[in-house]
Amino acid sequence: MNRQPSQDGAKSERHREIIAAAMQEFYEQGFAAARLDAIAERAGVAKGTVYLYFDSKEALFEGAVRSVILPVIEHIEILAHEPTGLASDLLKQILVTFYTQVIATDRRRLLRLLISEGPRFPNILVFYHREVVAKAVSVIRSLVSYGVQRGEFRTTAAVDFPMAIFGAAIAGAVWTILFEDIDPIDLNGLCETHLDIVLNGLKAPMAELQTPQRI
Amino acid sequence: MNRQPSQDGAKSERHREIIAAAMQEFYEQGFAAARLDAIAERAGVAKGTVYLYFDSKEALFEGAVRSVILPVIEHIEILAHEPTGLASDLLKQILVTFYTQVIATDRRRLLRLLISEGPRFPNILVFYHREVVAKAVSVIRSLVSYGVQRGEFRTTAAVDFPMAIFGAAIAGAVWTILFEDIDPIDLNGLCETHLDIVLNGLKAPMAELQTPQRI
Amino acid sequence: MNRQPSQDGAKSERHREIIAAAMQEFYEQGFAAARLDAIAERAGVAKGTVYLYFDSKEALFEGAVRSVILPVIEHIEILAHEPTGLASDLLKQILVTFYTQVIATDRRRLLRLLISEGPRFPNILVFYHREVVAKAVSVIRSLVSYGVQRGEFRTTAAVDFPMAIFGAAIAGAVWTILFEDIDPIDLNGLCETHLDIVLNGLKAPMAELQTPQRI
Amino acid sequence: MNRQPSQDGAKSERHREIIAAAMQEFYEQGFAAARLDAIAERAGVAKGTVYLYFDSKEALFEGAVRSVILPVIEHIEILAHEPTGLASDLLKQILVTFYTQVIATDRRRLLRLLISEGPRFPNILVFYHREVVAKAVSVIRSLVSYGVQRGEFRTTAAVDFPMAIFGAAIAGAVWTILFEDIDPIDLNGLCETHLDIVLNGLKAPMAELQTPQRI
DNA sequence: TATGAATGAGGATTCATTCAT
DNA sequence: CATGAATGAATCCTCATTCAT
């Protein structure tokens, strides 16, 4: 409960407040339409204070987005261990996590921001691709490969196109981003259906015979 | 005060040029960062001229996006007829069309724009949802339903969650939007894999035996 | 009497007004303390209008100063013809012109501006040195040389240090710049005294005998 | 509110350091463009510390400039004694001192600062005029007068316009300020030539006959 | 005394919009 | 219809000054 981490290692409280405020503003307005005034006000500081922590609006954007991406990276790392057990269970686990921890939370707004501002901040895109997306894709790829080796999955091109596996989750995120106010989607239902289709689509012909043995 | 320039139905050439120019600029810069100067210059007209056709930057945005959506609506209508033949063939046809006519072309940029600017232009979102998305979803839904009736597809919740079917295509579009410069994807390969997984995932257990009888 | 030179060759009226306003402001405030608002107001235009003519405050400064220097250049050129008659008369003529046309007028303020802002605008300094100062120095140098050839002036190092000849005039300008409100100087008196000292200082020993013959 | 830091007469070390740092910054940037941050950093203190010694940026400027002027005043006082010996020698001595101790040193930068910032700090100008310039002028004036009495100099208006005597030195300083990087001047050569012209210009007609007697 | 984080007024610059021609 | 010069509100950023520690 020791609050007062304003020293070094732990970025100062102010720093965090400004980043939080900035992300809110950027989420709601996009980069160009976001106003430094509004960010400062949200953070409860004066305009000039923001510039004590970030050199410019662009630096603030990059810094804030990066710091939001960091915890995601850690999450991905956790998934990157050697797979054991049923490939389908592992896949299920990952997708459910993605649906519940990303799509169903505020984190999906990061996706919108990256789509919107990517061209203006290519290095953030590169960073995100390298640290998050490539690793996530790699995890799925390994998992499919593992499932095939295990005889659980058919041999398909899904090893080379993992997006054919998890794409519907991304689409669910996009739908929610676009239409949450107009026509919200039942993410749980989508998740289950998504898993149903994909696991059946991957299942090796004999799999059905084997699965009973699993019990 | 927007005096519809002269004639009736046939929008003037100028009108079209301005819209084309505006879309280019909006695609590249987003709404907030797009400059009227640049749009006018692209269209080869003076800045003031744009205001003879559109009341404001926002009206221009709405008008331009709407006019880009119109042809898409027509495309959708075509798909909305009674299905005949193999449901899997129809699904394949639709997805291939989406991959080749939307994702692989400039049209995917519309998706980015809607994602980016949606919150600022909710009525465009409503319009797009009603005229395009809802119809497209309905088409897929009917198709799945048709496949099930035909005994070609399993009974799944995909009728209620069509995104589980075509979602990977959306994801492919998003990937391309984000990473076309960093790590481009083979859209043909994805399309094939996507179809492979989904059609297998939907296929009714006996389906394989029935298909030969079709001949 | 054709007024309306807003076309090409003759810089538009607006252009001139802005430059005039800018010079007033820069004279009074210096570059850093000058405010674009004030310049625009002086020129009777809106703030944004200034940016239709100049890209930035710095560009405005350079442009304005350059355009003030231009007429000076023409003046210098006029002096650069072959000398005829008494060298002392020519020298007198030049110095009197300098005192009455530069030091006693608003033009002396240019000197202050160049002294103040020189380090920030080195290329203006180079321009001014090349187009004005070097030429002026060269004129004096030639004149002294001419006087020596003519036997009117002693042989002195003044050919290599023309500033020893006209320096007091510069000093008079500096004095006026600094102390016009505190302890103004009688520029006519200074001019006469300056000429008296310098012409006597240059005069060849026999000169006094020759001058009567001149009549 | 400026609490004179502790002790009495002996300005603290800090005080001196801040003034030195301030002068450097003011010399390089001028008043308006100088930044308190930079001054504090140069002085090796925190920004707030400067305000313990000076009430404002303007007070700092005045204080710093004044303290730079002080030693000059003392120098001037020394010259203000009764003249003895050859007036020309005395004049030579003064001018050489000015060339070598002022123009050829960092002190000439004070001249630039006074020219640049004079209008903004009229009381500094008054102070400088009263304590330095007026006295220096007076010294020259007395000297010329002394030379005339002595029969060494002609009777000229130079008594009323001493600038006609030493002006070229000022001009040399201005030249150096403006063009030291572009076209530096040989100050020694100028000094000699200056003296040559001026002493000859002042010399009484018979002076030449008298000088040998000096030996 | 000394610090330096915080403040916020001030100023350069941009750009959607207007309007006289 | 078309122009493009002019406008001025909006916004980023700077920096002198303050003040809690």
Side-chain angles (χ1 to χ4, degrees), chain A residues 55-125:
Chain A
D55 286 344
S56 66
K57 191 182 178 184
E58 305 213 348
L60 173 57
F61 184 86
E62 293 214 8
V65 170
R66 273 195 153 83
S67 84
V68 165
I69 290 175
L70 287 182
V72 180
I73 294 176
E74 290 169 23
H75 254 282
I76 298 282
E77 307 285 4
I78 294 168
L79 299 175
H81 50 50
E82 275 300 292
T84 59
L86 275 178
S88 56
D89 278 355
L90 292 170
L91 188 55
K92 184 172 181 176
Q93 198 183 321
I94 288 175
L95 279 179
V96 168
T97 302
F98 187 64
Y99 273 97
T100 57
Q101 301 303 311
V102 178
I103 309 182
T105 73
D106 231 38
R107 265 188 268 273
R108 68 170 173 265
R109 309 179 84 175
L110 180 62
L111 179 61
R112 167 187 261 143
L113 215 49
L114 291 170
I115 291 173
S116 304
E117 312 300 346
R120 196 182 190 119
F121 296 93
N123 39 341
I124 285 193
L125 233 41

Side-chain angles (χ1 to χ4, degrees), chain C residues 14 46 48-49 52-53:
Chain C
R14 266 301 149 81
T49 304
L52 296 177
Y53 294 85

Side-chain angles (χ1 to χ4, degrees), chain C residues 104-115:
Chain C
T105 72
D106 232 37
R107 264 189 270 271
R108 67 169 172 265
R109 311 179 85 175
L110 180 61
L111 179 61
R112 167 186 261 142
L113 214 49
L114 291 170
I115 291 173

